Amino acid sequence: MPTIVVDVMPKPEILDPQGKAIAGALPRLGFTGFASVRQGRRFELTVDGEVTEDVLAQARKAAEELLSNPVIEDVVNVAVLTESAQNESQSA
């Protein structure tokens, strides 16, 4: 079944304490070279049937009205997850 991915991130002007904590932990754990971290949310919407422009439009509307808080978050991506990416995420 096809899947639509929705990525939501905090607006740039919003503090991100989780991202800041992760950014502090990375060098302590030996991961260097990263300047900052922002933590967001990912939603996967499984589609019953074919992904049409109408279905994508509904996903975008749901992302803006339900899956995100427009006061503090931006919807940064609404896209169909390719079959190869689905297989990679299932095998990880």
Side-chain angles (χ1 to χ4, degrees), residues 10-76:
K11 290 184 181 272
E13 62 272 15
I14 299 297
L15 294 177
D16 182 5
Q18 290 175 308
K20 190 171 184 174
I22 294 166
L26 285 172
R28 287 194 306 271
L29 297 172
F31 300 101
T32 59
F34 301 103
S36 66
V37 176
R38 302 279 295 168
Q39 181 176 340
R41 298 184 294 146
R42 174 184 168 122
F43 299 90
E44 293 186 359
L45 308 172
T46 303
V47 178
D48 187 23
E50 184 180 339
V51 178
T52 62
E53 283 302 317
D54 186 45
V55 171
L56 271 173
Q58 288 184 59
R60 287 185 193 99
K61 185 171 180 162
E64 295 290 340
E65 296 180 9
L66 176 67
L67 303 178
S68 68
N69 178 344
V71 174
I72 61 169
E73 295 174 314
D74 290 324
V75 175
V76 296

